[in-house]
Every structure is written in C-alpha cells, then in structure tokens.
Amino acid sequence: MNFLSEYTYYIGAFSLIIIGLYIILVKKNLMKVIIGFSIFDTGIYLFLITVGYLREGTAPVFSKSGLDAGKMVDPVPQALVLTAIVIGVAVLALAVILAIKIYAHYGTINLRKIKEQRW
Amino acid sequence: MEIIAGILVLLMIASAIAAALFKDLMNAVIASCIVSLIAAVLFYLLQAPDVAMAEAAIGAALVTGIFVIAVKRTKRFEE
Amino acid sequence: MRKLISIILLGIVATGLFMSISQIPFGEPGERMGDHFIREGVKETGATNIVTAVVVSYRGFDTLGEVTVLFTAAMGLGAVIGLVRRKKTHPVIEPASLIVYTGCRFLFPVILLVGTYIVIHGHLTPGGGFQGGAVVASAFLLMYLGCRGKRIRENLSRGLESLGGLLFILLGVTGLLIGGDFLFNFLPLGEAGTLISAGIIPLIYLAVGLKVGSELAGIIDHLIENTDELSE
C-alpha cells in the first residue's frame, strides 16, 4: 500500500508507456498506431518529470523573495520535456499527413491490406 | 493531495485503455485528448507549471485538432 | 502469431521497465543536475524562471537545434503535400452557426493576447516562447474551425517564421562577435524580476515564440486547406 501511494506517478507513466507500446505493436489501423505514439510520448514526459520531482518542493521560479533554492524541483528535465512536447506535435503532424497520403493512394489505412496490395 | 493524484492517474489509465479499445476512431481521439489533459494536471501537481502549460495547449488542443482533421480525411471506423 | 510475439516482447519490456523504475526513489533529495542552475541561475542569467534560463541560456544551442527539427518537420509536411497538383476548385463551405461564429470572433483576440503575454513574460513567470507560440497557434485552430473561409496569408506565416529563425541566429552570432561565445549574453542583465531584464533572453524567447506560433499555425493551415482533394 505504501508502495502504491509513493509510486502513483511512476505507475501512471509505466502504464501509459506499456499501453502505447501495445497499440503500436498490435493494432493494424494506421491512425490507431499514431494515437499510440501520442500516448507513448505522454508516458515518457510524465516519467521524466517524475524523476525530477522533489518531495514538498516548489516550482523552479523565483516569483517572490524568500524561496529556498534547496527545496526546488529539478529544472533540467522540465526544460527537456518542454521542447520535446513542441517537437512531438510537429512530428505527429508529419505522420498524420503521411497517413492521409497513404489513404489517398491505397484507399485504406489498414496496414495488412496495404501489404497485400501491389503498387 | 495523494488521493487526488491517485484518482487522476486511474482516470488517465482508463482513458488510455479506452483509446486502445474503441473501434470508432473519433472516440479514440477524444480518449487520447483526455489522457493529455489529465497529464497536464499531473504536471502541475508535480510542480512543473511550464510543462503543464505546454501540454495543455498542445496535447489537449492542437493534437486533438490535427487528429480530428485526419480522421475526417480518412476512414472513421477501424476494420 | 504476430500478436503472440508482440505480447511476449511487451512482457520483456514491461519487466525491464518495472525493475528499473522500482530502483528510482520518488522525491528523494540527492545529487542533481540542476543544483547549480537553481543556486546560481538568477545571478548568472538574470531570469527568475530557471526553466527559461536552462532552455534559452544554458542549453541555448540545443534549443536552436530543436527549433531546426521543428522547421524540418514543417518543411517535410509542405513537401509531402506539395507533390499533389491542386485543382483550383473551391468547395462550398457550410458556415458555422451564429453562436459558434460570434464566440470564435470574440475569443480569438483574447487568446492571442494571452499567448503574447505568455511569450513576453517567459523569463519572469511560467511560460515562454514554446508555450505562448502553442497558445497562439491554437487561436488560429479555433478560427479555422469556427469561421471557415478565412485563411492566413501563406507568405505572411512563412515570413514571420523566417524572421523568428533569423532573429535567433543573428542574436547568437552577435554574441559570438562580442563575447566570443555563440549566444553570449551581451546586453546588461538589469534587475532580476522586472520586465526589461535578463539581457537577450526575452528577445530569444520572442524569436522562438514567433517561430513556433507561425510554424504550428502553418501546419494547421496545410492540414485543413490542402488535403481536401486528397480525400475525394
């Protein structure tokens, strides 16, 4: 029980990564696979932020005087995740446009059916 | 605070499983939008307001918009 | 068969991930990468938001690379769409209802204002170029959904995007000429906590905000307007 309350965020991140990986590996619909990528991404962001957390810490912003620098959460993972999120959306848009083009070309986005077809 | 986080994580996992199971892709997109939205709240609870802001604007608004457009341009139902 | 292999693989990954996660303590203080940034960040960069200091100042060169990745993705998207010759037909667009239309018209400037505020105050409060740019782009998404038929001029969004990238590189090269380092902070740091402080950090975040906002708005424009013929 103690383990569960301590590791709530880790469990969330772990589940998201596993569910995203399951969708990517098992599903045959291309749009579903891209949704899986998005969930997988979210899991990794949550994991990185959780690693940088400090119990009863404050956000790394000196918005008022008297904040203790020793009780602040780690800013480095936050900076990494911040840029990763914005790049993620651009790469996702590229994947989506490729899926739309595949649908226009083959008339289906089912990966198994695409494999059976000739050019 | 821990109880709230626990409930949110459970909701998030349930939405992710729903996104995997739905045959209607539009429903799956909305479920993945809920995952992003709850992740934004969790980032706020983990003292990362910068990341929460980015995730709320991008994960819940832009990515959902892009997915909805894509589902509209392709097939709606998974076969 | 394929499913079985996938699930076995998934099990292996899950076990490995679980074993490594259970070794990481949650929220324990210890040796951290960001300790120096937290203790000396305000003194060294003048920005009160340490995340901004890390993104723009300590890891500024890295951010330039990430902005380049964003640019490459947007360019690839344009290239993939551009392979189709567009027919110059204008499909009849069904207008949104009056309530949706008026609501979008009302919300659009408010969201733009919030986005600009987030960009400008990036070095003082949570926020900055990446978040503000995303908020601005979501305002344009709202406009596309609510008021169909209105478009951004493509040249304008391309121009703003190039301007943002150019500003970033020019600031970096100026720092190289003056201080000997790329992205050297050549402006006075000023008093931490005021709007005009922290040297070139607000300027760089403004450039990043311009670039991210116009880039994402351009991606949405491409997706909505140029894929109509593909789905016929």
Side-chain angles (χ1 to χ4, degrees):
Chain A
M1 198 57 218
N2 192 25
F3 180 82
L4 278 182
S5 66
E6 282 272 289
Y7 279 76
T8 316
Y9 296 102
Y10 279 131
I11 291 167
F14 174 79
S15 316
L16 283 194
I17 290 174
I18 295 300
I19 293 168
L21 212 56
Y22 171 80
I23 296 176
I24 294 169
L25 286 174
V26 172
K27 296 286 172 178
K28 290 178 202 70
N29 186 301
L30 207 52
M31 280 307 296
K32 222 34 184 305
V33 172
I34 299 173
I35 291 174
F37 272 115
S38 149
I39 291 175
F40 188 65
D41 272 0
T42 313
I44 291 174
Y45 303 150
L46 193 55
F47 175 67
L48 282 177
I49 294 290
T50 313
V51 169
Y53 182 68
L54 188 67
R55 198 174 283 113
E56 285 160 18
T58 57
V61 181
F62 289 91
S63 49
K64 57 181 184 236
S65 57
L67 286 170
D68 184 9
K71 285 204 96 55
M72 281 188 174
V73 301
D74 198 348
V76 176
Q78 296 192 10
L80 281 173
V81 170
L82 181 58
T83 44
I85 288 177
V86 178
I87 289 166
V89 68
V91 176
L92 208 70
L94 187 62
V96 157
I97 203 81
L98 284 175
I100 294 175
K101 290 268 310 194
I102 286 172
Y103 182 74
H105 192 277
Y106 291 101
T108 177
I109 45 172
N110 189 316
L111 287 171
R112 184 159 287 178
K113 282 186 185 163
I114 292 170
K115 228 182 249 174
E116 285 164 4
Q117 283 183 13
R118 291 265 166 262
W119 289 76
Chain B
M1 198 56 85
E2 277 172 4
I3 296 170
I4 296 174
I7 293 170
L8 284 174
V9 165
L10 277 183
L11 270 177
M12 188 174 72
I13 296 170
S15 306
I17 293 172
L21 293 181
F22 277 134
K23 291 282 174 214
D24 186 342
L25 286 175
M26 209 60 106
N27 293 355
V29 166
I30 300 301
S32 77
C33 162
I34 294 172
V35 172
S36 288
L37 204 60
I38 296 177
V41 179
L42 289 179
F43 289 148
Y44 179 74
L45 290 181
L46 286 168
Q47 304 293 338
D50 291 88
V51 183
M53 218 177 249
E55 180 74 25
I58 286 179
L62 283 177
V63 170
T64 312
I66 288 171
F67 273 145
V68 168
I69 295 161
V71 171
K72 216 179 134 206
R73 298 272 188 265
T74 57
K75 272 210 181 78
R76 178 163 174 177
F77 290 97
E78 189 185 4
E79 66 227 54
Chain C
M1 189 61 203
R2 193 188 135 89
K3 205 164 180 167
L4 191 70
I5 295 174
S6 306
I7 286 176
I8 291 170
L9 195 68
L10 213 60
I12 295 169
V13 172
T15 318
L17 206 61
F18 180 79
M19 304 237 298
S20 47
I21 281 181
S22 58
Q23 298 298 315
I24 306 171
F26 174 73
E28 300 293 334
E31 281 288 306
R32 292 186 302 168
M33 260 154 64
D35 273 340
H36 173 79
F37 301 150
I38 290 176
R39 260 185 268 109
E40 310 290 335
V42 177
K43 228 181 293 166
E44 284 180 2
T45 64
T48 51
N49 184 354
I50 304 298
V51 178
T52 299
V54 173
V55 168
V56 179
S57 189
Y58 292 112
R59 283 178 59 238
F61 198 61
D62 204 9
T63 304
L64 182 63
E66 271 151 359
V67 170
T68 314
V69 173
L70 192 67
F71 174 69
T72 315
M75 204 167 65
L77 200 141
V80 169
I81 291 179
L83 295 178
V84 202
R85 275 268 60 82
R86 274 182 248 153
K87 289 172 287 190
K88 285 285 171 197
T89 51
H90 290 282
V92 183
I93 299 161
E94 203 178 317
S97 74
L98 186 67
I99 294 173
V100 175
Y101 182 77
T102 316
C104 289
R105 290 289 296 272
F106 171 70
L107 278 175
F108 178 68
V110 179
I111 299 177
L112 271 191
L113 185 69
V114 172
T116 320
Y117 173 85
I118 291 173
V119 172
I120 292 175
H121 288 75
H123 57 299
L124 301 176
T125 52
F130 287 104
Q131 298 95 320
V135 170
V136 168
S138 69
F140 282 104
L141 175 67
L142 184 73
M143 250 352 221
Y144 274 113
L145 297 181
C147 316
R148 291 300 306 271
K150 288 197 191 308
R151 290 197 59 178
I152 321 166
R153 256 177 291 159
E154 209 163 312
N155 291 339
L156 185 71
S157 84
R158 289 242 180 92
L160 282 178
E161 181 194 321
S162 311
L163 186 73
L166 206 65
L167 193 61
F168 197 143
I169 293 173
L170 274 183
L171 283 168
V173 171
T174 316
L176 186 66
L177 290 179
I178 293 176
D181 291 323
F182 192 75
L183 284 173
F184 177 76
N185 203 337
F186 55 87
L187 290 176
L189 291 184
E191 187 193 344
T194 51
L195 184 58
I196 300 175
S197 67
I200 62 169
I201 288 179
L203 293 177
I204 292 176
Y205 242 178
L206 194 64
V208 171
L210 264 180
K211 194 160 168 57
V212 170
S214 49
E215 202 111 62
L216 293 180
I219 285 175
I220 289 164
D221 175 75
H222 266 314
L223 268 176
I224 292 188
E225 300 293 341
N226 294 349
T227 54
D228 271 336
E229 300 83 11
L230 284 175
S231 57
E232 290 308 312

